[in-house]
Structure formats: structure tokens, C-alpha cells
Amino acid sequence: MNRPVPDYQLNGQSISLHFPAVMGIVNLTPDSFSDGGQFLSPEDAVAHARHMVEQGAQIIDLGGESTRPGSEPVSEQDELARVLPVIERLLKEDFVLSLDTTKPAVALAGLQAGISILNDVSGGNQEMLEHASRFQAGYVLMHTQGSPQTMQDSPKYDDVVEEVRAFFDEKAEDLQALELPRLWIDPGIGFGKTLEHNLALMRELDELIDPRWGILLGSSRKSWIDHLCNAPDPIDRLGGSLCSAIGGVARGAEIIRAHDVRETVQALEVAKGLALIDPTE
């Protein structure tokens, strides 16, 4: 993973990422689909984050509210109580901190505490965008259809790749006006999509490549793998997750959001050695 980029200044911090970068997932929730309840204490979450960095994660993505299909929202106070103690313990570490949230107030508190990337899974809330611009943070804009409570209730598209691309194109002018230091887009695998929609987006991920943004892919352990491979337990979806990571990077993804960091880093290194992916492009 040798493709260096110029340093980014993200929320006042100078950051140099080497792509493809692995973003390790740390869910601070009791009900996330894969690892809910495992890292409820700040001490356990911090230890897990540091372990992921030792395994090769360049970015740690903290989340205090589950957005799995059917999940219920939590209050701002509960979400802040989950994320802020972990942010405070990790901020001086030698890696990039990202905050996964749908709430502008939580995003603002995270940015004030010093996170470098705002991972907006709301689909582009204007207040979230303005917070990211004010703090000059990195920003991930994810496509979604509906809320977590309704997004898997018969999602429909005429052409999912074309419509997701149009969503990002429509947002691009406003995003450019905010002069964010770095923007990534996330096609939102599993967020208002059927198996066929997810597969089409991953097969044609290169249709979303654009000089205005980088691409983040979050397909790790999601139910599309179960639908293909009969793996109802998310822990049994490692093979599918790794295959999608390699395919995603081959089609232009800069960041892979993953639960299994060591295995993902290893898979990408081997794919690079076999010339299945080219990190210099």
C-alpha cells in the first residue's frame, strides 16, 4: 500500500494517508449488527482501536449509534456519552480518528473534541456539511435511501449505479462551495439496496470515480454476503468481505471500511503482489 498523497490538513491536524487505506470499525453500541455490545466500555473500545492500528488500520471509525436495518435511533445524550470518552482517550494517538454519526450535534461535539473525519451516514445533512466546513475536516458522504427503520422495505431504482452517481453529482456543486479539504463518497452498500443493487454498485464502482472525490467502500460483514453464501452469522462473512475489498480497490476505492483489519490488510498486500490491484494509480 504505497501510494502516498500530499498531507491533508483535517481539523487542524496534518495527515498523510497511503492508499488503499483500511478504516477499522469500532462500534460503541449494544445493537450493531456484527459486534454490538463488545466495546461498550471506553477501555475496551480504546484497546480494540489500538489493536486495529497495530494490525494496519490507518483510520479508526467510531460509532455510537447503530444504523443497521431496523435499528432505532438513540438520543444525542446517549450517543455523546458513548463516543466522547473514547475520542478523548485516543486523540493524541498516531492515527486518524473518524466519527460515524447522523446527528449534527454529535458531529459538532466530535469536531470540537478534535476528530479529523466526519463520516456522515445521513446522506448529506446540510448542518453536518456546514460543521465539516467550519472545522475543515475530512468528510465522507454516504448514499442512502430512507432511514434505518425503513430503508430495506422494498428499495427500488431504475438504474442504481446511474441514480447513485446522480445523487453525488447533484451534491457536488454545494460541496465544492464549502471548500472541504478532502471529500470521500460512499455508495452505501446495504443502505436502501437489495442484493442486486449492492452487487451492481460494487461491480461498477469505477463509474463513481471522479477527481472531485475519493471513494470509500463499506461492505464488510454485511448481509449481501449471507444472501450469496448462506452465512447468517456476520462473523462467518470474512471471505466475502475480503473479496469485496480487493474488488473495490481494483475498481477505484481509496478506503476500505473493515471489521477484520489484519485480514483485510493482508489480502490487499497479496493482491498488490499478484498485480490484482495497482496502488500507484
Side-chain angles (χ1 to χ4, degrees):
M1 288 186 246
N2 297 326
R3 180 154 64 105
V5 297
D7 284 353
Y8 298 126
Q9 292 292 326
L10 304 181
N11 198 6
Q13 297 180 345
S14 180
I15 291 167
S16 182
L17 291 172
H18 298 261
F19 296 125
V22 174
M23 171 188 274
I25 302 166
V26 180
N27 287 314
L28 314 173
T29 58
D31 56 343
S32 290
F33 80 93
S34 177
D35 55 1
Q38 293 185 29
F39 309 111
L40 292 180
S41 80
E43 293 76 18
D44 288 344
V46 167
H48 185 54
R50 290 174 178 158
H51 183 55
M52 285 183 154
V53 173
E54 291 171 359
Q55 294 177 328
Q58 295 184 60
I59 308 167
I60 295 296
D61 193 40
L62 303 173
E65 178 182 61
S66 174
T67 50
R68 63 176 172 76
S71 63
E72 293 296 327
V74 301
S75 69
E76 290 175 1
Q77 292 76 14
D78 285 347
E79 191 172 347
L80 287 168
R82 293 171 182 176
V83 301
L84 287 180
V86 180
I87 292 172
E88 290 164 0
R89 286 167 169 81
L90 289 174
L91 263 181
K92 293 184 180 179
E93 306 284 348
D94 188 23
F95 50 86
V96 181
L97 270 186
S98 169
L99 178 60
D100 173 339
T101 187
T102 64
K103 296 185 178 67
V106 174
L108 177 59
L111 291 164
Q112 289 172 329
I115 63 151
S116 297
I117 298 174
L118 180 58
N119 185 5
D120 180 3
V121 294
S122 74
N125 176 288
Q126 185 61 33
E127 196 174 352
M128 300 265 274
L129 285 165
E130 290 170 0
H131 291 331
S133 176
R134 173 186 163 196
F135 285 85
Q136 285 294 282
Y139 186 80
V140 179
L141 173 64
M142 191 189 76
H143 176 273
T144 185
Q145 188 181 89
S147 68
Q149 295 76 42
T150 63
M151 63 188 181
Q152 291 306 110
D153 295 344
S154 302
K156 293 181 174 63
Y157 302 86
D158 292 327
D159 183 325
V160 66
V161 177
E162 181 179 308
E163 290 175 48
V164 169
R165 173 71 200 220
F167 167 81
F168 292 121
D169 282 336
E170 184 178 339
K171 297 275 188 181
E173 186 173 339
D174 290 339
L175 288 166
Q176 286 183 301
L178 293 171
E179 298 183 342
L180 296 165
R182 183 57 174 169
L183 169 67
W184 289 276
I185 63 163
D186 176 351
I189 301 303
F191 282 79
K193 282 100 177 170
T194 65
L195 172 62
E196 290 72 22
H197 298 146
N198 291 323
L199 292 176
L201 284 164
M202 287 187 281
R203 283 194 301 261
E204 300 178 52
L205 194 66
D206 52 356
E207 294 295 320
L208 304 180
I209 293 174
D210 193 286
R212 296 172 292 183
W213 55 63
I215 297 174
L216 179 150
L217 180 65
S219 55
S220 174
R221 293 189 186 178
K222 290 186 175 178
S223 62
W224 66 272
I225 301 171
D226 175 31
H227 297 153
L228 282 178
C229 306
N230 188 28
D233 189 337
I235 202 70
D236 294 328
R237 300 172 187 169
L238 175 61
S241 300
L242 298 181
C243 185
S244 68
I246 293 169
V249 171
R251 291 169 174 82
E254 286 188 351
I255 299 175
I256 297 297
R257 187 173 181 272
H259 297 84
D260 303 288
V261 169
R262 178 184 11 237
E263 294 84 354
T264 303
V265 170
Q266 187 179 95
L268 293 174
E269 286 291 346
V270 172
K272 183 178 70 175
L274 295 174
L276 299 176
I277 59 176
D278 184 354
T280 65
E281 291 184 352

